[in-house]
Amino acid sequence: MRGGEIVESSSERLLTPGEVAALFRVDPKTVTRWAAAGRISSIRTPGGHRRFRESEVHALLRGEEVLTAERQNSESPRV
């Protein structure tokens, strides 16, 4: 799956694009674009819908930069 991983059982709350958008006061499509660009990581439900980890969303709201796996791979030094 591009830009996400399949949801497994986890105790962390997952947010919908609409919930994330409301927190950032942007359109839900903007949140989806952020995920596609690697600005925020997303996971996929078995039905293919995006979900976002609540802890990561709140870290971004606090201004903390969260490196997604995709961005970590592209920013890691080549040997």
Side-chain angles (χ1 to χ4, degrees):
M1 296 237 154
R2 186 173 170 251
E5 55 194 57
I6 299 296
V7 174
E8 295 182 14
S9 61
S10 173
S11 61
E12 181 164 16
R13 183 162 181 254
L14 299 175
L15 303 176
T16 65
E19 291 170 323
V20 176
L23 292 169
F24 282 97
R25 296 182 182 186
V26 297
D27 190 89
K29 283 290 186 189
T30 300
V31 176
T32 301
R33 282 189 217 104
W34 289 347
R39 291 183 64 190
I40 185 171
S41 66
S42 67
I43 57 177
R44 300 280 187 147
T45 67
H49 300 280
R50 288 188 191 269
R51 295 295 181 264
F52 302 89
R53 290 180 181 89
E54 185 176 38
S55 61
E56 182 177 343
V57 171
H58 286 290
L60 290 170
L61 281 169
R62 289 190 302 268
E64 300 171 14
E65 183 173 350
V66 178
L67 287 179
T68 63
E70 186 175 301
R71 286 177 63 197
Q72 285 175 344
N73 291 338
S74 68
E75 293 178 6
S76 59
R78 304 275 182 209
V79 198

